[in-house]
Amino acid sequence: MNKYKANLLVLFITLGWGSSYLFMKMGLDSMEEFNLLALRFGIAFLVTGLVFWRRLRRINKTTIGYGAVLGAILLWVCVSILFGLKTTTTSNAGFLVGLTVVFVPILSVFLFRKKLERSHIIGALIAMTGIGMLTLNSKLQMHPGDILCISSGISNALFILISGAAVKKTDSINVGIVSLGFTAVFALIFSFIFESPVFPGTFSGWTSILALSLVCSAFCFIAQSVSLKYIPPVQLGLMYALEPIFAAVIAFMFAGERLTMQGYIGAMLVVGGILVSQWLEQRKKLLTGAAQPVSH
């Protein structure tokens, strides 16, 4: 695989995750949150494990360690979205979780001592303005679901950065599979503690579970681990700007959700902040490259 194919792979990942908000909202009609996640990631783990069972024989302690940490983070990412969807719309959830693209470079400063570029600061300020317009009501209050979705965006950024470190030390596909397994186990434990686990009792319930398991988990999380071999975490985070767009389009097409005019402006500012950040970064690279002396 080359970088072009990795970028194309990320496009399909963002499309898959953009659809996940609608499927999660469908699934919540027939089961509770941890129950849904245990089924989603349990099926994804079994499917990917069967497909890549030869590779799994080479798992080591490092892979298991990273898988456990990533599984715990991934559980929080999904739990925040599921509980958030109870008090916010699918479109809002998509845009707020999409702020991962802003949080990735910010967290990389604290975790890996990376320098925060001016482009990241400008992009973050524009996006934060958009969040305010998208989520604040006339009383200048946010819904609890909005706060949970922002929390999910931060956790997702952490997941991307740790995944980027993991694929440098372990097999990218193996660590992706193991993280799915740990997420399923953690969710099942919480489901037995706080819920009464059941299987979906409706056709729409099974549709949502299978779509979440096979497309949004088995494919997307394994594909993300593979793409991190070719794309740096900060760049990957920026490319996820497309996810909230896909989420809003799918919510409009299949759930009839519409934003207010203030919401549309806020959503455009969120995406605009992300795109401005990416454009400024690319412009700096071009100017830096042009300024390099030519050797003879």
Side-chain angles (χ1 to χ4, degrees):
M1 181 180 289
N2 55 34
K3 194 169 183 179
Y4 170 77
K5 290 181 179 178
N7 287 333
L8 187 61
L9 190 61
V10 173
L11 178 65
F12 287 111
I13 294 171
T14 54
L15 177 58
W17 281 343
S19 68
S20 68
Y21 303 97
L22 179 63
F23 289 125
M24 283 190 283
K25 204 149 193 174
M26 287 172 55
L28 289 175
D29 292 334
S30 57
M31 69 194 78
E32 295 180 276
E33 290 79 10
F34 291 111
N35 189 171
L36 184 149
L37 293 176
L39 281 173
R40 169 184 175 176
F41 289 104
I43 294 172
F45 172 71
L46 292 175
V47 170
T48 53
L50 287 172
V51 173
F52 297 104
W53 67 273
R54 291 182 184 275
R55 301 176 74 112
L56 287 175
R57 292 184 297 182
R58 301 196 298 269
I59 283 181
N60 53 33
K61 291 182 180 179
T62 303
T63 303
I64 294 173
Y66 272 114
V69 172
L70 290 170
I73 297 172
L74 181 55
L75 179 66
W76 177 251
V77 170
C78 296
V79 166
S80 300
I81 296 172
L82 285 174
F83 282 96
L85 283 169
K86 289 187 172 184
T87 56
T88 193
T89 64
T90 303
S91 303
N92 266 31
F95 278 104
L96 295 175
V97 177
L99 284 169
T100 293
V101 298
V102 175
F103 295 128
V104 167
I106 294 174
L107 286 178
S108 68
V109 173
F110 297 100
L111 294 177
F112 302 107
R113 306 299 183 193
K114 296 289 183 69
K115 181 183 177 182
L116 187 60
E117 300 290 343
R118 186 180 66 172
S119 60
H120 299 153
I121 297 173
I122 294 173
L125 290 174
I126 296 173
M128 290 300 178
T129 303
I131 294 177
M133 295 191 68
L134 183 65
T135 59
L136 292 174
N137 55 32
S138 57
K139 297 180 181 179
L140 297 181
Q141 295 174 333
M142 297 179 73
H143 296 295
D146 296 328
I147 297 172
L148 283 171
C149 288
I150 292 173
S151 167
S152 181
I154 296 172
S155 302
N156 196 33
L158 185 62
F159 183 88
I160 291 172
L161 289 169
I162 295 179
S163 294
V167 298
K168 294 177 182 177
K169 301 177 181 179
T170 65
D171 181 276
S172 59
I173 292 178
N174 279 352
V175 77
I177 295 172
V178 173
S179 66
L180 293 175
F182 272 107
T183 307
V185 171
F186 294 150
L188 186 60
I189 291 171
F190 281 110
S191 183
F192 274 114
I193 294 173
F194 299 109
E195 304 167 349
S196 298
V198 296
F199 287 106
T202 62
F203 177 77
S204 63
W206 275 112
T207 299
S208 66
I209 284 294
L210 291 176
L212 288 168
S213 300
L214 302 179
V215 179
C216 306
S217 299
F219 168 73
C220 288
F221 284 104
I222 299 299
Q224 177 179 267
S225 294
V226 172
S227 65
L228 280 165
K229 282 283 189 181
Y230 304 90
I231 302 173
V234 173
Q235 183 182 341
L236 180 68
L238 286 169
M239 292 176 69
Y240 285 157
L242 291 172
E243 183 184 334
I245 299 175
F246 287 137
V249 171
I250 291 170
F252 172 76
M253 291 175 61
F254 297 101
E257 291 186 4
R258 289 177 173 81
L259 297 173
T260 62
M261 181 56 68
Q262 176 180 313
Y264 278 115
I265 295 172
M268 285 189 290
L269 283 173
V270 171
V271 177
I274 293 162
L275 295 179
V276 165
S277 175
Q278 191 169 19
W279 176 75
L280 288 173
E281 189 166 347
Q282 292 300 319
R283 183 170 177 267
K284 180 182 176 182
K285 288 180 179 178
L286 289 173
L287 292 173
T288 303
Q292 294 291 329
V294 179
S295 60
H296 297 280

